[in-house]
Amino acid sequence: MSISPSLPTFSPSASELEEMDRRYLIHPYNRWERKNRCVIVRGRGCLLWDAHGNELLDVAGGGLFLGQVGHGRPELGEVAAAQMAELEYFTSLREFSNDRSIRLAERLVELAPEGIGKVFYTSGGSEGVDTAVKIARLYHNRRGEPGRTWILSRKIGYHGSTLGAGSITGFDFFHVGVGPTLPHVEHLSPPYPYRTEFYGGEDCTDFLVRELEQTIERIGADRIAAMIGEPIIGAGGTIIPPEDYWPRIREVLDRNGILMIADEVVTGFGRTGNWFESVPQGMRPDIVITAKGLTSGYQPLGAVLMRPEIGDELPGDHGFFHGYTWFGHPVATAVAMANLDLIEKEGLLDRAHAIGRWFAEGLAPVTELPVVGQVRIAGALGAIELVSDQESRAWLDPVVTEIIADDLRTVDGVIVRNEGSSLLLAPPLVLDEDQARRATTAIVNVLSRLDGQGNLAPR
Ligand code: PLP
């Protein structure tokens, strides 16, 4: 294991690190009874090493669907160091700005869906969601419609963890014990073609368009600011909508003066093989939220992109009283720019499509297994949804997917993400064909040992 001489010395043993972690850290999503730890200390490309020196293959993109250009790229470290030596930070409030954030904004507008022309920086996705909601409300307010405050979201959509974004997230367990959540949020049904039971036998899009129209009727179009959605639902399990879903939803929103916010925190910057997935999905967004792949994880940064006519309303006579200390951080925006250059230069959008093909080929055998409900792949974003019964499509106990993910990591050295009853795949976009095969072979093997009750047969 090579530790750079310029890093401060800190060399406890692996088990000491794990013990310190248990003593000091509260991990998101972890339960108290889960005592095992996996302390990652180094990464290169799609490979990682834990504190014990075990090599692991990252098929989860830093665990959370990012890392487009892969781990440990010295080019990005050099850009960060050079920018720190030049200017590490100065605010962008009021009249101040910096050259790096201006250059990145221009690049983002060039890459963005048609009609987008303005940028507002955040430190990540949840802040981006909060920002987008405030922008949508303020836009209507400035235009003389202050009653437009409601936000339409969807169940099974993930939008972050702050009080605002967490309220908009469509998983009930995010709201337990921390309420009251944000008022004026309505969660609609998601487009989930596999789960036909959600639509009572009706065509999925017909059902959802009708539900949207009835919701608008009930709340009142003049009280709704925006609808937010992931072009393809990511953390909820690569849920790909029918082709006519977003165009028809957009048409209803247009008719009712409701803004469309595309949450591209996962899908942006090549994850599905496109710069922005909202384009092929026909969302025609007014506001686009980005983070994660914008820097491949080399710096915390997000950006909310919007139509100029929206951005132009915000300063008003009073100013736009919303913003973060790290807005337009010079180091983060310089690194983001270099990251986008790498994505382009190395053809990583095409690679995402290739990864999708390798996954589909490698996972073909699992589609026949009784525990596999559906395999869904969109470029380098994939999910294997597990069921305890094919007919009723009853979800497999989420504890089982946790056991499977642990088994894959500790025995095969393959990291996938488990969320609910699904195994989720979102590797760095530098994954090669051999690595894809290594991952899919391990997944096929583990799922072949699983029965409908969730028992994993020994190897
Ligand atoms: N939106 C989507 C679609 C996400 O998947 C996430 C995080 O996974 C977020 C928003 C929140 O981003 P962050 O964790 O950077 O706050």
Side-chain angles (χ1 to χ4, degrees):
M1 201 183 308
S2 82
I3 296 283
S4 161
S6 42
L7 283 176
T9 312
F10 176 58
S11 48
S13 70
S15 50
E16 281 167 340
L17 272 174
E18 289 165 1
E19 184 43 41
M20 288 169 74
D21 183 283
R22 280 188 283 268
R23 191 177 324 142
Y24 294 119
L25 284 174
I26 298 167
H27 287 265
Y29 294 26
N30 213 19
R31 292 176 281 115
W32 277 124
E33 67 262 31
R34 259 172 80 84
K35 296 283 183 218
N36 63 331
R37 293 290 183 272
C38 177
V39 181
I40 305 289
V41 293
R42 184 169 172 252
R44 284 288 176 279
C46 290
L47 297 179
L48 297 162
W49 286 267
D50 69 13
H52 292 275
N54 297 312
E55 183 190 287
L56 299 161
L57 179 64
D58 179 9
V59 194
L64 287 178
F65 298 0
L66 48 114
Q68 305 349 44
V69 302
H71 299 283
R73 302 285 306 245
E75 306 95 308
L76 296 185
E78 282 156 22
V79 168
Q83 183 59 41
M84 281 180 196
E86 197 67 24
L87 173 71
E88 83 299 344
Y89 175 76
F90 198 81
T91 179
S92 288
L93 260 60
R94 302 206 166 84
E95 76 272 36
F96 294 108
S97 195
N98 69 73
D99 50 352
R100 301 296 149 185
S101 72
I102 296 168
R103 175 68 188 103
L104 179 66
E106 181 189 51
R107 181 78 178 278
L108 288 171
V109 167
E110 281 162 17
L111 294 174
E114 202 187 325
I116 296 293
K118 296 264 183 199
V119 177
F120 188 97
Y121 290 114
T122 66
S123 323
S126 304
E127 284 183 3
V129 171
D130 286 5
T131 298
V133 167
K134 283 190 177 180
I135 286 174
R137 287 176 171 177
L138 189 57
Y139 167 75
H140 291 300
N141 190 301
R142 296 261 198 260
R143 289 164 48 103
E145 291 194 275
R148 284 193 184 261
T149 50
W150 281 75
I151 303 295
L152 307 180
S153 174
R154 294 156 333 147
K155 295 174 191 130
I156 314 189
Y158 182 71
H159 297 290
S161 281
T162 53
L163 187 57
S167 304
I168 288 162
T169 285
F171 291 101
D172 292 342
F173 51 84
F174 266 79
H175 309 147
V176 175
V178 296
T181 53
L182 197 70
H184 292 195
V185 175
E186 180 79 12
H187 293 102
L188 303 166
S189 306
Y192 203 150
Y194 170 61
R195 299 219 156 254
T196 50
E197 68 270 23
F198 285 5
Y199 315 109
E202 198 179 338
D203 171 79
C204 169
T205 309
D206 286 350
F207 177 100
L208 296 169
V209 167
R210 188 166 40 76
E211 185 192 55
L212 173 63
E213 282 172 333
Q214 286 170 349
T215 306
I216 294 171
E217 177 93 29
R218 175 167 47 83
I219 297 174
D222 59 349
R223 299 180 65 208
I224 304 175
M227 175 168 173
I228 182 169
E230 300 158 85
I232 290 175
I233 290 179
T238 313
I239 301 172
I240 306 166
E243 264 179 31
D244 62 345
Y245 171 76
W246 280 121
R248 288 180 62 190
I249 293 289
R250 175 76 228 202
E251 194 272 318
V252 177
L253 301 185
D254 275 347
R255 245 192 292 129
N256 289 282
I258 299 168
L259 297 179
M260 166 78 88
I261 303 173
D263 183 342
E264 295 247 25
V265 167
V266 164
T267 50
F269 308 111
R271 172 58 50 205
T272 59
N274 305 294
W275 282 110
F276 293 96
E277 179 62 27
S278 53
V279 176
Q281 291 292 338
M283 285 177 90
R284 293 189 287 111
D286 300 298
I287 300 175
V288 182
I289 304 161
T290 71
K292 294 193 191 272
L294 173 56
T295 63
S296 284
Y298 282 78
Q299 288 284 297
L301 181 70
V304 178
L305 321 177
M306 71 206 83
R307 293 185 186 278
E309 56 272 29
I310 296 175
D312 288 343
E313 291 286 355
L314 302 180
D317 292 336
H318 308 286
F320 179 34
F321 284 95
H322 173 80
Y324 306 99
T325 299
W326 305 137
F327 179 109
H329 193 286
V331 179
T333 49
V335 168
M337 189 69 194
N339 171 61
L340 298 180
D341 287 343
L342 283 178
I343 293 176
E344 200 159 59
K345 199 171 85 202
E346 298 183 357
L348 297 184
L349 269 54
D350 289 342
R351 179 69 78 89
H353 288 299
I355 291 170
R357 286 193 298 277
W358 299 330
F359 280 167
E361 283 161 24
L363 293 173
V366 305
T367 56
E368 301 302 320
L369 297 174
V371 285
V372 174
Q374 198 176 42
V375 175
R376 296 181 288 269
I377 293 169
L381 187 66
I384 305 162
E385 180 170 340
L386 303 178
V387 291
S388 58
D389 179 65
Q390 284 285 344
E391 196 129 321
S392 67
R393 302 188 197 99
W395 272 293
L396 197 70
D397 184 347
V399 170
V400 178
T401 54
E402 199 168 284
I403 293 168
I404 296 170
D406 279 355
D407 189 85
L408 282 167
R409 191 185 76 242
T410 52
V411 183
D412 300 295
V414 171
I415 299 183
V416 301
R417 177 171 167 189
N418 60 288
E419 223 36 89
S421 302
S422 296
L423 298 177
L424 308 181
L425 310 177
L429 304 183
V430 294
L431 190 83
D432 67 28
E433 194 167 359
D434 284 345
Q435 291 171 326
R437 195 173 307 113
R438 178 177 157 198
T440 54
T441 303
I443 293 168
V444 171
N445 286 342
V446 74
L447 293 182
S448 306
R449 292 192 287 120
L450 190 67
D451 69 19
Q453 281 67 54
N455 302 307
L456 197 56
R459 289 182 185 247

PDB file of all heavy atoms in Angstrom, residues 419-436:
ATOM      1  N   GLU A 419     -29.991  -1.771  -1.769  1.00  0.00           N
ATOM      2  CA  GLU A 419     -30.992  -0.774  -1.345  1.00  0.00           C
ATOM      3  C   GLU A 419     -32.343  -1.458  -1.432  1.00  0.00           C
ATOM      4  O   GLU A 419     -32.723  -1.945  -2.512  1.00  0.00           O
ATOM      5  CB  GLU A 419     -30.898   0.405  -2.305  1.00  0.00           C
ATOM      6  CG  GLU A 419     -30.955   1.808  -1.762  1.00  0.00           C
ATOM      7  CD  GLU A 419     -30.288   2.076  -0.419  1.00  0.00           C
ATOM      8  OE1 GLU A 419     -29.100   2.393  -0.362  1.00  0.00           O
ATOM      9  OE2 GLU A 419     -31.016   1.987   0.584  1.00  0.00           O
ATOM     10  N   GLY A 420     -33.038  -1.577  -0.325  1.00  0.00           N
ATOM     11  CA  GLY A 420     -34.298  -2.310  -0.326  1.00  0.00           C
ATOM     12  C   GLY A 420     -34.063  -3.734  -0.793  1.00  0.00           C
ATOM     13  O   GLY A 420     -33.134  -4.404  -0.327  1.00  0.00           O
ATOM     14  N   SER A 421     -34.868  -4.174  -1.754  1.00  0.00           N
ATOM     15  CA  SER A 421     -34.734  -5.553  -2.244  1.00  0.00           C
ATOM     16  C   SER A 421     -33.886  -5.624  -3.508  1.00  0.00           C
ATOM     17  O   SER A 421     -33.933  -6.636  -4.214  1.00  0.00           O
ATOM     18  CB  SER A 421     -36.111  -6.130  -2.547  1.00  0.00           C
ATOM     19  OG  SER A 421     -36.894  -6.090  -1.384  1.00  0.00           O
ATOM     20  N   SER A 422     -33.152  -4.580  -3.801  1.00  0.00           N
ATOM     21  CA  SER A 422     -32.373  -4.575  -5.045  1.00  0.00           C
ATOM     22  C   SER A 422     -30.874  -4.490  -4.792  1.00  0.00           C
ATOM     23  O   SER A 422     -30.430  -3.902  -3.798  1.00  0.00           O
ATOM     24  CB  SER A 422     -32.787  -3.386  -5.920  1.00  0.00           C
ATOM     25  OG  SER A 422     -34.129  -3.518  -6.320  1.00  0.00           O
ATOM     26  N   LEU A 423     -30.131  -5.080  -5.734  1.00  0.00           N
ATOM     27  CA  LEU A 423     -28.689  -4.859  -5.793  1.00  0.00           C
ATOM     28  C   LEU A 423     -28.487  -3.818  -6.888  1.00  0.00           C
ATOM     29  O   LEU A 423     -29.031  -3.961  -7.992  1.00  0.00           O
ATOM     30  CB  LEU A 423     -27.957  -6.143  -6.176  1.00  0.00           C
ATOM     31  CG  LEU A 423     -28.114  -7.319  -5.214  1.00  0.00           C
ATOM     32  CD1 LEU A 423     -27.386  -8.549  -5.762  1.00  0.00           C
ATOM     33  CD2 LEU A 423     -27.561  -6.960  -3.828  1.00  0.00           C
ATOM     34  N   LEU A 424     -27.715  -2.797  -6.572  1.00  0.00           N
ATOM     35  CA  LEU A 424     -27.564  -1.684  -7.507  1.00  0.00           C
ATOM     36  C   LEU A 424     -26.135  -1.613  -8.028  1.00  0.00           C
ATOM     37  O   LEU A 424     -25.174  -1.772  -7.263  1.00  0.00           O
ATOM     38  CB  LEU A 424     -27.923  -0.363  -6.817  1.00  0.00           C
ATOM     39  CG  LEU A 424     -29.283  -0.327  -6.094  1.00  0.00           C
ATOM     40  CD1 LEU A 424     -29.523   1.046  -5.477  1.00  0.00           C
ATOM     41  CD2 LEU A 424     -30.417  -0.673  -7.044  1.00  0.00           C
ATOM     42  N   LEU A 425     -26.003  -1.335  -9.323  1.00  0.00           N
ATOM     43  CA  LEU A 425     -24.692  -1.260  -9.963  1.00  0.00           C
ATOM     44  C   LEU A 425     -24.507   0.128 -10.576  1.00  0.00           C
ATOM     45  O   LEU A 425     -25.397   0.610 -11.285  1.00  0.00           O
ATOM     46  CB  LEU A 425     -24.591  -2.311 -11.081  1.00  0.00           C
ATOM     47  CG  LEU A 425     -24.997  -3.744 -10.730  1.00  0.00           C
ATOM     48  CD1 LEU A 425     -24.913  -4.629 -11.969  1.00  0.00           C
ATOM     49  CD2 LEU A 425     -24.108  -4.289  -9.621  1.00  0.00           C
ATOM     50  N   ALA A 426     -23.399   0.759 -10.304  1.00  0.00           N
ATOM     51  CA  ALA A 426     -23.106   2.062 -10.911  1.00  0.00           C
ATOM     52  C   ALA A 426     -21.591   2.282 -10.816  1.00  0.00           C
ATOM     53  O   ALA A 426     -21.131   3.118 -10.063  1.00  0.00           O
ATOM     54  CB  ALA A 426     -23.861   3.181 -10.201  1.00  0.00           C
ATOM     55  N   PRO A 427     -20.813   1.527 -11.577  1.00  0.00           N
ATOM     56  CA  PRO A 427     -19.356   1.566 -11.425  1.00  0.00           C
ATOM     57  C   PRO A 427     -18.757   2.859 -11.973  1.00  0.00           C
ATOM     58  O   PRO A 427     -19.426   3.579 -12.728  1.00  0.00           O
ATOM     59  CB  PRO A 427     -18.896   0.391 -12.302  1.00  0.00           C
ATOM     60  CG  PRO A 427     -19.951   0.307 -13.361  1.00  0.00           C
ATOM     61  CD  PRO A 427     -21.241   0.669 -12.690  1.00  0.00           C
ATOM     62  N   PRO A 428     -17.511   3.129 -11.634  1.00  0.00           N
ATOM     63  CA  PRO A 428     -16.805   4.188 -12.354  1.00  0.00           C
ATOM     64  C   PRO A 428     -16.874   3.865 -13.852  1.00  0.00           C
ATOM     65  O   PRO A 428     -16.907   2.685 -14.230  1.00  0.00           O
ATOM     66  CB  PRO A 428     -15.362   4.066 -11.831  1.00  0.00           C
ATOM     67  CG  PRO A 428     -15.501   3.434 -10.476  1.00  0.00           C
ATOM     68  CD  PRO A 428     -16.675   2.499 -10.601  1.00  0.00           C
ATOM     69  N   LEU A 429     -16.875   4.904 -14.687  1.00  0.00           N
ATOM     70  CA  LEU A 429     -17.063   4.665 -16.124  1.00  0.00           C
ATOM     71  C   LEU A 429     -15.774   4.198 -16.802  1.00  0.00           C
ATOM     72  O   LEU A 429     -15.719   4.090 -18.030  1.00  0.00           O
ATOM     73  CB  LEU A 429     -17.617   5.925 -16.799  1.00  0.00           C
ATOM     74  CG  LEU A 429     -18.923   6.456 -16.200  1.00  0.00           C
ATOM     75  CD1 LEU A 429     -19.433   7.662 -16.980  1.00  0.00           C
ATOM     76  CD2 LEU A 429     -19.986   5.375 -16.130  1.00  0.00           C
ATOM     77  N   VAL A 430     -14.742   3.929 -16.000  1.00  0.00           N
ATOM     78  CA  VAL A 430     -13.504   3.367 -16.561  1.00  0.00           C
ATOM     79  C   VAL A 430     -13.464   1.847 -16.371  1.00  0.00           C
ATOM     80  O   VAL A 430     -12.448   1.215 -16.659  1.00  0.00           O
ATOM     81  CB  VAL A 430     -12.243   4.029 -15.940  1.00  0.00           C
ATOM     82  CG1 VAL A 430     -12.154   5.494 -16.339  1.00  0.00           C
ATOM     83  CG2 VAL A 430     -12.258   3.909 -14.409  1.00  0.00           C
ATOM     84  N   LEU A 431     -14.571   1.272 -15.927  1.00  0.00           N
ATOM     85  CA  LEU A 431     -14.623  -0.187 -15.755  1.00  0.00           C
ATOM     86  C   LEU A 431     -14.302  -0.858 -17.100  1.00  0.00           C
ATOM     87  O   LEU A 431     -14.820  -0.440 -18.133  1.00  0.00           O
ATOM     88  CB  LEU A 431     -16.036  -0.592 -15.319  1.00  0.00           C
ATOM     89  CG  LEU A 431     -16.219  -2.034 -14.862  1.00  0.00           C
ATOM     90  CD1 LEU A 431     -15.811  -2.165 -13.384  1.00  0.00           C
ATOM     91  CD2 LEU A 431     -17.687  -2.482 -15.000  1.00  0.00           C
ATOM     92  N   ASP A 432     -13.433  -1.893 -17.090  1.00  0.00           N
ATOM     93  CA  ASP A 432     -13.149  -2.580 -18.357  1.00  0.00           C
ATOM     94  C   ASP A 432     -13.941  -3.896 -18.436  1.00  0.00           C
ATOM     95  O   ASP A 432     -14.613  -4.288 -17.478  1.00  0.00           O
ATOM     96  CB  ASP A 432     -11.638  -2.763 -18.582  1.00  0.00           C
ATOM     97  CG  ASP A 432     -11.003  -3.714 -17.575  1.00  0.00           C
ATOM     98  OD1 ASP A 432     -11.702  -4.614 -17.078  1.00  0.00           O
ATOM     99  OD2 ASP A 432      -9.795  -3.549 -17.284  1.00  0.00           O
ATOM    100  N   GLU A 433     -13.799  -4.555 -19.595  1.00  0.00           N
ATOM    101  CA  GLU A 433     -14.648  -5.733 -19.828  1.00  0.00           C
ATOM    102  C   GLU A 433     -14.330  -6.860 -18.848  1.00  0.00           C
ATOM    103  O   GLU A 433     -15.248  -7.545 -18.362  1.00  0.00           O
ATOM    104  CB  GLU A 433     -14.478  -6.209 -21.280  1.00  0.00           C
ATOM    105  CG  GLU A 433     -15.562  -7.178 -21.679  1.00  0.00           C
ATOM    106  CD  GLU A 433     -15.623  -7.441 -23.178  1.00  0.00           C
ATOM    107  OE1 GLU A 433     -14.822  -6.849 -23.943  1.00  0.00           O
ATOM    108  OE2 GLU A 433     -16.474  -8.259 -23.579  1.00  0.00           O
ATOM    109  N   ASP A 434     -13.040  -7.052 -18.526  1.00  0.00           N
ATOM    110  CA  ASP A 434     -12.677  -8.123 -17.577  1.00  0.00           C
ATOM    111  C   ASP A 434     -13.270  -7.840 -16.204  1.00  0.00           C
ATOM    112  O   ASP A 434     -13.755  -8.749 -15.515  1.00  0.00           O
ATOM    113  CB  ASP A 434     -11.146  -8.217 -17.422  1.00  0.00           C
ATOM    114  CG  ASP A 434     -10.536  -8.897 -18.636  1.00  0.00           C
ATOM    115  OD1 ASP A 434     -11.301  -9.522 -19.401  1.00  0.00           O
ATOM    116  OD2 ASP A 434      -9.306  -8.785 -18.812  1.00  0.00           O
ATOM    117  N   GLN A 435     -13.202  -6.570 -15.807  1.00  0.00           N
ATOM    118  CA  GLN A 435     -13.758  -6.216 -14.488  1.00  0.00           C
ATOM    119  C   GLN A 435     -15.276  -6.397 -14.474  1.00  0.00           C
ATOM    120  O   GLN A 435     -15.842  -6.866 -13.480  1.00  0.00           O
ATOM    121  CB  GLN A 435     -13.379  -4.777 -14.136  1.00  0.00           C
ATOM    122  CG  GLN A 435     -11.886  -4.620 -13.867  1.00  0.00           C
ATOM    123  CD  GLN A 435     -11.472  -3.167 -13.742  1.00  0.00           C
ATOM    124  OE1 GLN A 435     -12.028  -2.277 -14.404  1.00  0.00           O
ATOM    125  NE2 GLN A 435     -10.481  -2.907 -12.895  1.00  0.00           N
ATOM    126  N   ALA A 436     -15.920  -6.044 -15.585  1.00  0.00           N
ATOM    127  CA  ALA A 436     -17.380  -6.231 -15.657  1.00  0.00           C
ATOM    128  C   ALA A 436     -17.697  -7.718 -15.537  1.00  0.00           C
ATOM    129  O   ALA A 436     -18.641  -8.115 -14.832  1.00  0.00           O
ATOM    130  CB  ALA A 436     -17.928  -5.672 -16.971  1.00  0.00           C
TER     131      ALA A 436
END
